[in-house]
Amino acid sequence: MDVHLRDLRYFVAVAEELHFTRAAERLFVSQPALSKQIRVLERQLGFPLFERTPGGARLTPQGSALLPTAREMLQLWGTGLDAARQAAPSGTLVIGMQTSVGRNLQRETLRRFRERMPGWTVSLRLVSWDDPSGGLADGSSDVAFVWLPTPEGLAVRVLVRERRFAALPEGHPLAGRAEIDIDDLRDEPFISLPAASGPLRDFWLGLDVRDGAVVGAEAASADEVLEAVTSGLGVVLLAEGNAALYSRPGVVCRPVTGLPPAELAIAWRSTDHRPAVTAFLASLPALPASDTNATDTNAIDTDATVTDVDPG
């Protein structure tokens, strides 16, 4: 029987919180997705790990017996992974991305990184939006460009703050306005991120300033989102820089008032102090004193290698 490290992380989080909703918030996943995965794990094991109670959950005798081993396995994996990363004087730095970055951030950063770490190569990895950590949670990325908010256990540095825009079909009644208030979108169906993206999904539905949203469709990539918009399935919020990066016929983008800005950040594991990670962070530009709205479209450094592209 194969049990994934993700399943062990989920089990330990619920065991420590003894509450599925709090554990889901800690893991940055939706509560239904966490409950479903725990049930799958219990079926695989052949015994229950938790007793569900009105106030939360409590460990079964089997769950209590398994918890120390699960914790030890996660700790051992983390220790082994760090040791493997430290073993080589040169290697490949994997940079996770949820969307194209652009904004004139990557090219200069990678140039400075190569000067600091000669012999190292860089791999840019596109990560599905159902992983809001950008590949950091499962160790498949070393650093990641992500949109806030992020899961626990990650250190972040904000690089860009931008207004949020609405992308609409060009024939939409609101498309002729110079700007749109968030209240004017309350009855509009929205294209949402996958439920597994948790609070990040809520942010791009505007739920940080309103109580609810109508979801017309779900999409796991930028191309899927824009296809849904042009097909009339709904509207979507996106950062101002991405409105320029993903410009296409049939889609109109307008600034939305009544929303705080979106924040693009670099993220890394807070316990990761390897020289390559430190060098990459030192190579990044600082957030300008006044918030930037730069929209440079040099999204990918052509000297870098793009690998492990996840289309969904």
Side-chain angles (χ1 to χ4, degrees), residues 7 74 111 139 146 151 183 202 206 268 305:
D7 297 330
L74 289 173
R111 182 190 66 78
V146 297
D183 287 340
D202 294 346
W268 66 100
T305 303

Side-chain angles (χ1 to χ4, degrees), residues 173-198:
L174 297 174
R177 297 189 183 183
E179 60 182 25
I180 301 169
D181 190 88
I182 184 61
D183 287 340
D184 294 330
L185 297 171
R186 62 181 177 274
D187 296 324
E188 295 290 332
F190 269 68
I191 312 302
S192 80
L193 300 185
S197 61

Side-chain angles (χ1 to χ4, degrees), residues 153-166:
L154 300 183
V156 299
R157 180 190 302 169
V158 175
L159 302 173
V160 174
R161 291 190 178 96
E162 296 180 342
R163 294 180 295 172
R164 278 182 274 180
F165 275 44

Side-chain angles (χ1 to χ4, degrees), residues 132-176:
S133 78
L136 293 170
D138 63 7
S140 57
S141 298
D142 299 307
V143 296
F145 289 100
V146 297
W147 291 98
L148 301 186
T150 60
E152 289 185 3
L154 300 183
V156 299
R157 180 190 302 169
V158 175
L159 302 173
V160 174
R161 291 190 178 96
E162 296 180 342
R163 294 180 295 172
R164 278 182 274 180
F165 275 44
L168 316 97
E170 61 181 357
H172 193 282
L174 297 174

Side-chain angles (χ1 to χ4, degrees), residues 207-220:
L207 299 185
D208 52 324
V209 298
R210 57 180 181 158
D211 294 332
V214 179
V215 175
E218 187 177 285

Side-chain angles (χ1 to χ4, degrees), residues 225-263:
V225 165
L226 295 173
E227 184 63 32
V229 171
T230 56
S231 299
L233 297 179
V235 303
V236 70
L237 294 177
L238 71 170
E240 183 170 2
N242 283 1
L245 284 170
Y246 292 105
S247 176
R248 64 170 55 186
V251 176
V252 173
C253 294
R254 297 289 182 263
V256 179
T257 59
L259 291 174
E263 294 181 312

Side-chain angles (χ1 to χ4, degrees), residues 286-301:
L287 178 69
S290 59
D291 291 349
T292 179
N293 287 317
T295 56
D296 182 82
T297 57
N298 294 322
I300 298 293
D301 185 329

Side-chain angles (χ1 to χ4, degrees), residues 18 64 71 75 84 90 110 119 121 202 213 226 233 240 262-263 267 283:
L18 293 178
S64 296
R71 283 177 170 150
Q75 182 177 3
S90 63
L110 295 182
T121 58
D202 294 346
L226 295 173
L233 297 179
E240 183 170 2
E263 294 181 312
S283 302

